[in-house]
Amino acid sequence: MQLGPDDPFRDYRPGGYFCELTAARDDGGAAATVRARIAAIGLDALRARAAAAETELINLGVTFTVYSEAAAIDRILPFDCIPRLITAAEWQILEAGVQQRVAALNAFLHDIYHAGHIVRDGTVPRELVFGNAGYRPEMQDFPVRFGTYVHICGTDIVRDAAGDFLVLEDNARTPSGVSYVVENRHLMSRAFPDLMTAMALRPVDDYGRRLLAAMMEIAPEGVSDPQVVLLSPGIYNSAYFEHVFLAREMGVPLVGGADLFVEDDAVWMRTTAGRRQVHTIYRRIGDDFLDPTVFRPDSLLGVPGLMQAWRRGSVTLANAVGTGVADDKAVYAYMPRIIRYYLDEDPILPNVQTWICREREGLSHTLANLERLVVKPVGESGGYGITIGPRASRAGIAAARAALLADPANWISQPVVALSVGPTLTEQGIRPRHLDLRPFAVTGRDTWVLPGGLSRVALQEGSLVVNSSQGGGSKDTWVLDAGAAPAAGPGT
């Protein structure tokens, strides 16, 4: 494509990384159309409209909360207006890989809380499961509908320099971010309709309907019209906007622990018309705070007697208690073996190569190569506690070494992946910034994957940390329909 002197992409250089918009792919001309339409808008107008879009996010209350030692600060998730494109063929791989992974996670959780074959066989070390902070002995032999423990899963995926997809981690407890996927699409349709005109994209608007259908499906057997609620810790939770959003999208009550009570081994909701029985609870409260009679007795967020009611079969919780074992970063390293063990299949989406520091060989390799590796704590999320060796200071390397030696079991290490980039609007113009992708899977009896997912972007030049709590932003993720080319429109 010939670029004119005023084209915003004229100085764009991916720098040897796989670029999500400019790489040669069979996209039916969609990427060229998007680039031409952005050029027709022009850089100044693009900036003005992007600023107006971020103002709209503030006005809509699309925020998350960052907690520090000094204060809790509400922030918008910075939005980049240049979309990320995923071809139909690429999405076919991603969708199948996520579905395979969710099936393996659920089989693994069912096994460790019942017969425990994978532990007895030595495929996964016993101490990695039963010594895991996410393991809940209360779930042993617990009946779970359809064997589904992970009803909502967010799988973090990256692309390497060759454009190949790799799984970075699993989020099987209470994954967040799906509200931004839907809101980003709404924002693009309002602020940049000329970019979307006649583009053949897979829709994301039916997530709420799909989620509600799954929550109704997993309700106790024999309930013809189940009452679903979303249980939130309240307004001070970092993802409270998402709780409000999802309750609204599903058309179900948003409740706190004080709104529910257990009587006669059933869960009831207090309403202005009297009590009403609850059959499915999509909970966004951590295990520790769910039921003060079983877990933390000082919790004011949960519902006393909830676990007993669940065990008696009068209510279902999603996600199930105890799923934290499955998204532990050390267990992640065994996922290729777990997939083969339960499904007798090779992984469709491979892991990033991982060394487990609780193992002698993994610790030795990590200590010998600290300057070249990414070192991560197994129980943290949000990008906290990570040391990126090639970019760490001498003091940072020394601190990482001391932490590894003090508690090897708390750490894994991985090579630095040359993460793919996408064109991103910055103060300097359109520049490459690193990306990841979090597709969301919803599972009742079967698994459905929302087309696309949350594309997070590291807004700082050269940064590999895309987490919102660490300054990352997001993009709208466009999954192209198979065989559909964009029609002629503005700028084409």
Side-chain angles (χ1 to χ4, degrees), residues 362-381:
L363 178 62
S364 176
H365 177 85
T366 302
L367 290 171
N369 296 277
L370 268 177
E371 293 82 0
R372 292 187 289 275
L373 298 173
V374 179
V375 181
K376 301 178 179 180
V378 299
E380 289 284 353
S381 61

Side-chain angles (χ1 to χ4, degrees), residues 15-27:
Y17 297 104
F18 183 91
C19 178
E20 299 282 351
L21 190 64
T22 63
R25 292 180 290 170
D26 183 14
D27 63 3

Side-chain angles (χ1 to χ4, degrees), residues 230 232-234 237 239-248 254 284:
L230 192 152
S232 169
N237 184 265
Y240 185 68
F241 162 77
E242 178 153 295
H243 305 168
V244 174
F245 174 88
L246 290 174
R248 185 181 71 237
L254 177 67
R284 297 295 294 258

Side-chain angles (χ1 to χ4, degrees), residues 39 46 56 61 75 98 121 128 146 186 205-206 212 233 265 273 276 279 292 297 304 307 366 371 409 480:
L46 198 66
E56 184 176 351
R75 294 180 180 170
V98 168
D121 292 351
L128 206 60
F146 310 131
H186 291 167
D205 286 342
D206 60 344
L212 177 61
D265 288 332
R276 179 164 184 173
H279 304 99
M307 291 293 290
T366 302
E371 293 82 0
L480 304 173

Side-chain angles (χ1 to χ4, degrees), residues 249-457:
E249 289 289 299
M250 287 193 287
V252 306
L254 177 67
V255 300
D259 299 314
L260 304 178
F261 66 96
V262 175
E263 188 174 289
D264 298 327
D265 288 332
V267 179
W268 303 86
M269 173 175 56
R270 295 180 174 90
T271 77
T272 55
R275 72 179 191 176
R276 179 164 184 173
Q277 189 171 355
V278 172
H279 304 99
T280 302
I281 300 174
Y282 175 24
R283 53 102 175 193
R284 297 295 294 258
I285 295 177
D287 292 357
D288 285 341
F289 301 95
L290 267 177
D291 184 343
T293 67
V294 176
F295 304 116
R296 286 185 53 159
D298 61 339
S299 172
L300 301 176
L301 301 176
V303 184
L306 181 59
M307 291 293 290
Q308 177 70 6
W310 186 20
R311 181 174 283 278
R312 292 293 176 89
S314 68
V315 72
T316 299
L317 296 185
N319 286 346
V321 170
T323 58
V325 179
D327 65 13
D328 178 271
K329 289 182 176 66
V331 171
Y332 155 91
Y334 289 87
M335 276 303 295
R337 299 178 221 180
I338 290 171
I339 290 170
R340 294 186 185 99
Y341 187 88
Y342 295 112
L343 306 182
D344 195 26
E345 300 169 356
D346 287 330
I348 297 170
L349 298 173
N351 277 15
V352 175
Q353 185 178 11
T354 303
W355 290 276
I356 303 170
C357 297
R358 69 187 301 124
E359 298 176 352
R360 180 179 300 177
E361 296 83 359
L363 178 62
S364 176
H365 177 85
T366 302
L367 290 171
N369 296 277
L370 268 177
E371 293 82 0
R372 292 187 289 275
L373 298 173
V374 179
V375 181
K376 301 178 179 180
V378 299
E380 289 284 353
S381 61
Y384 293 104
I386 292 176
T387 299
I388 302 176
R391 301 182 181 185
S393 65
R394 187 172 299 177
I397 293 291
R401 186 180 301 278
L404 279 162
L405 292 171
D407 186 11
N410 189 48
W411 301 92
I412 62 165
S413 66
Q414 296 172 328
V416 178
V417 178
L419 299 187
S420 63
V421 297
T424 303
L425 184 61
T426 74
E427 292 182 0
Q428 293 76 37
I430 294 178
R431 297 291 186 268
R433 293 293 184 264
H434 294 291
L435 300 164
D436 80 348
L437 177 68
R438 178 178 289 180
F440 290 89
V442 176
T443 305
R445 190 189 296 270
D446 302 306
T447 296
W448 170 80
V449 187
L450 176 68
L454 179 63
S455 285
R456 299 183 297 181
V457 54

